[in-house]
Amino acid sequence: MLPTTLINPRDQGNGSLNTRASARHTAGAKRYKYLRRLLHFRHMDFEFAVWQMLYLFTSPQKVYRNFQYRKQTKDQWARDDPAFLVLLSIWLCVSTIGFGFVLGLGFVEMIKLLLWVVFIDCVGVGLLIATLMWFISNKFLLKHQNRDYDVEWGYAFDVHLNAFYPLLVILHFIQLFFIHHVILSASSLGYFVGNTFWLVAISYYIYVTFLGYSALPFLKNTVILLYPFALLILVYVVSLAIGWNFTKALCVFYTYRVK
């Protein structure tokens, strides 16, 4: 069970406790501490990172309650332990190699696919989404426009990673067992199963992202982050009506990418 304490409203921003505390909690100091721990595996809490990965599927609210506890104890919302990022990277590499085997790619092609997925699909797109959400939340969702209340960029990136993990497992791992015999078949069952995997995966992404920003007490109107659900359902229904197989399109794109 996660430890809980009463939240002091004055501590909900990213403001300082005192001058010395301010120096210790600047963005540069947090970044330096995070990167330094990235080089020391023995200092990472992998057991807790696995706990987070499990609960992102079963009860993501518990994961964000821990983020609130970190804010109270360490005066920052973002993770200070890179263990989650390390495990996510391992998951990404293993699942992408599995995808390469399913597509029948050679060794060199598989390495190319791995580099594309890691540095473009995960890191590149993740940086873009995190920056966009950081800008939108600070520009339009803040209750109070002052520097003591703002969304940390690192937290926005953590929210993306949290939401990306279930999507990765569903599309890059669970789906692999159905690709050849079901999803890529010529029957309507194929694109129904494949597109349903996409529906569930993207729904997880939207919902976990919404939970991440709604956990911040200084944001308002975070329910708008659920609005993409309507577009998602519309695209899903249209795809079934016209027989558009998302997974088949992804496989073609992955193969074209590395040729």
Side-chain angles (χ1 to χ4, degrees):
M1 182 178 295
L2 291 175
T4 57
T5 59
L6 293 177
I7 301 176
N8 186 338
R10 293 186 304 172
D11 296 334
Q12 294 310 300
N14 293 327
S16 60
L17 300 177
N18 52 52
T19 304
R20 182 175 297 179
S22 296
R24 289 200 308 267
H25 291 90
T26 61
K30 294 174 184 177
R31 183 167 55 249
Y32 172 76
K33 180 181 178 181
Y34 187 89
L35 294 176
R36 185 179 62 182
R37 294 189 68 176
L38 190 59
L39 302 176
H40 298 85
F41 279 77
R42 290 180 298 176
H43 296 168
M44 299 184 200
D45 191 349
F46 289 105
E47 182 178 353
F48 182 62
V50 170
W51 176 91
Q52 290 181 317
M53 288 181 165
L54 173 63
Y55 276 93
L56 281 172
F57 273 101
T58 59
S59 183
Q61 298 92 334
K62 291 185 178 180
V63 176
Y64 286 115
R65 280 203 293 270
N66 176 260
F67 277 77
Q68 293 173 334
Y69 178 69
R70 182 184 299 110
K71 173 59 181 175
Q72 297 169 49
T73 57
K74 299 183 178 181
D75 195 33
Q76 70 177 67
W77 289 96
R79 289 186 177 97
D80 60 343
D81 185 349
F84 186 92
L85 177 61
V86 171
L87 291 183
L88 178 63
S89 301
I90 294 174
W91 253 109
L92 184 61
C93 291
V94 171
S95 63
T96 301
I97 291 173
F99 220 112
F101 276 117
V102 169
L103 296 179
L105 300 180
F107 177 77
V108 175
E109 294 170 339
M110 198 175 298
I111 295 300
K112 289 181 180 179
L113 177 64
L114 182 61
L115 294 176
W116 269 101
V117 171
V118 171
F119 292 103
I120 303 299
D121 297 347
C122 182
V123 177
V125 174
L127 293 175
L128 179 63
I129 292 177
T131 302
L132 179 63
M133 292 302 299
W134 169 78
F135 173 79
I136 291 174
S137 57
N138 282 316
K139 184 72 174 178
F140 303 106
L141 302 181
L142 287 182
K143 292 179 181 178
H144 308 284
Q145 293 290 340
N146 65 69
R147 63 182 181 181
D148 287 337
Y149 294 86
D150 70 317
V151 178
E152 302 169 9
W153 186 91
Y155 181 79
F157 189 65
D158 279 339
V159 171
H160 166 72
L161 294 182
N162 290 344
F164 181 76
Y165 172 69
L167 182 147
L168 171 69
V169 173
I170 294 171
L171 296 182
H172 262 226
F173 179 68
I174 299 177
Q175 186 178 218
L176 293 183
F177 298 97
F178 300 88
I179 284 185
H180 277 316
H181 300 294
V182 180
I183 297 177
L184 296 185
S185 66
S187 67
S188 58
L189 178 64
Y191 58 78
F192 171 75
V193 173
N195 291 5
T196 300
F197 272 118
W198 281 84
L199 174 67
V200 174
I202 298 176
S203 295
Y204 255 111
Y205 187 93
I206 295 172
Y207 179 61
V208 174
T209 298
F210 161 74
L211 290 179
Y213 289 95
S214 63
L216 301 179
F218 49 86
L219 294 186
K220 61 182 179 180
N221 301 327
T222 54
V223 70
I224 66 174
L225 299 178
L226 294 176
Y227 289 178
F229 268 124
L231 178 60
L232 176 63
I233 296 297
L234 176 61
V235 172
Y236 174 73
V237 172
V238 171
S239 70
L240 296 182
I242 65 177
W244 181 14
N245 191 323
F246 294 150
T247 302
K248 186 175 182 179
L250 177 67
C251 292
V252 172
F253 176 65
Y254 275 176
T255 304
Y256 170 79
R257 203 184 227 185
V258 299
K259 294 299 184 179

